[in-house]
Amino acid sequence: MMTVNEVSQLTGVSIRALHYYDQIGLLPAAGHTDSGYRLYDDAALERLQQILLFRELEFPLKDIRKILQNSAFDREKTLEQQIELLKLKKQHIEDLIALAEKTKTTGETIMDFTAFDTQKIKAYAAQAKQQWGATPEYKEYEEKTARKTEKEISDMGGQLMKIIAAFGTMQTMDPAAPEVQAQVKKLQDFISAHYYTCSKMILNQLGQMYAAGGAFTENINAAGGPGTAEFAQKAIEVYCS
């Protein structure tokens, strides 16, 4: 067991912060000395490490508490997602460094703002939060699927993919075309009916996630053809604006 002072020295977290984490139920002390001082065991330190990783990813304390208190919390899966988010942040920082170095070398202003784009990070974080159960939308999804069989859930996912894949046949059209926008509305309605209430803000986040690369983008483009995910994102962006 370690005292609060020892934990503070080991982790760099202030004693005041550790006291606060205990008060709000985020990091309860494992025990107390006869004098009433907080004590922390290995399990508490492991939990603190999870908290600090989430803090590095700029998650609010209230969201971290909800995630860690969720009965479905999967430490290994969470670590994988945290690693992916940290890699995205690393790439973002490297892009900014490269832009600054290029500007310094040329002595001119580089009219390229892509290095400031954080949409991939936001989209992946939104996806991860839903899986961690830290959002009302995920809770609504759990309620709607609680009585469904695995086959019914799988079939539902297949229907959703068909709706998204249909954007592949529309790529010759303008994303703002009525037919394309009607397909976006169909997608929004399906998600609201079978998963969770899909506001325009959430729909826009999903669109960014579809085109952010990785498994989602690959699966959508495999179903609808190359460029489907990217076109769907553009159509959703028009709809949500």
Side-chain angles (χ1 to χ4, degrees):
M1 301 282 272
M2 298 179 68
T3 65
V4 67
N5 185 56
E6 290 171 335
V7 172
S8 178
Q9 291 180 352
L10 175 67
T11 64
V13 180
S14 70
I15 294 175
R16 182 178 180 181
L18 290 170
H19 285 175
Y20 181 65
Y21 289 174
D22 189 1
Q23 290 169 7
I24 64 174
L26 179 61
L27 182 68
H32 295 81
T33 66
D34 293 338
S35 302
Y37 292 106
R38 294 171 174 83
L39 292 172
Y40 297 85
D41 57 11
D42 289 346
L45 291 176
E46 181 181 307
R47 185 181 176 93
L48 177 57
Q49 189 177 71
Q50 280 288 341
I51 294 168
L52 295 179
L53 279 170
F54 279 120
R55 291 298 287 158
E56 284 294 324
L57 296 169
E58 301 175 11
F59 277 63
L61 291 177
K62 63 178 182 179
D63 284 352
I64 299 173
R65 183 175 59 192
K66 288 179 182 178
I67 292 168
L68 295 180
Q69 289 177 345
N70 191 323
S71 59
F73 177 73
D74 185 329
R75 181 176 179 274
E76 292 302 316
K77 184 176 181 179
T78 299
L79 281 172
E80 290 176 5
Q81 292 171 324
Q82 287 173 331
I83 290 168
E84 184 61 30
L85 272 169
L86 289 168
K87 284 181 178 178
L88 288 172
K89 287 193 72 174
K90 177 186 175 184
Q91 185 60 56
H92 175 62
I93 292 171
E94 288 177 348
D95 290 343
L96 289 172
I97 292 172
L99 176 62
E101 289 179 339
K102 187 176 181 181
T103 302
K104 180 182 178 181
T105 301
T106 62
E108 300 176 358
T109 300
I110 309 299
M111 299 305 289
D112 180 1
F113 293 87
T114 55
F116 298 97
D117 187 2
T118 59
Q119 291 305 319
K120 285 186 179 181
I121 297 173
K122 291 178 181 177
Y124 191 90
Q127 172 200 350
K129 277 187 178 183
Q130 287 179 0
Q131 294 178 356
W132 287 322
T135 65
E137 290 76 27
Y138 186 81
K139 291 179 181 178
E140 185 180 351
Y141 165 74
E142 284 188 322
E143 292 172 359
K144 286 186 175 181
T145 58
R147 297 182 181 180
K148 293 184 182 296
T149 64
E150 289 187 11
K151 184 179 184 305
E152 287 174 330
I153 294 174
S154 177
D155 290 344
M156 192 168 69
Q159 293 175 50
L160 176 62
M161 182 57 76
K162 284 183 179 179
I163 294 173
I164 302 172
F167 286 104
T169 64
M170 302 178 178
Q171 293 188 67
T172 57
M173 303 180 189
D174 187 317
E179 184 177 347
V180 179
Q181 290 298 293
Q183 188 67 15
V184 177
K185 180 66 164 59
K186 182 177 181 180
L187 171 63
Q188 182 186 33
D189 290 345
F190 184 88
I191 294 172
S192 292
H194 296 88
Y195 290 89
Y196 46 76
T197 303
C198 186
S199 65
K200 283 191 174 182
M201 182 181 73
I202 292 173
L203 182 62
N204 194 38
Q205 290 176 342
L206 289 172
Q208 292 166 2
M209 182 175 68
Y210 294 160
F216 271 98
T217 304
E218 292 172 5
N219 292 338
I220 292 171
N221 287 342
T228 298
E230 292 77 9
F231 181 78
Q233 190 274 324
K234 291 177 183 176
I236 290 171
E237 186 176 20
V238 172
Y239 180 87
C240 294
S241 64

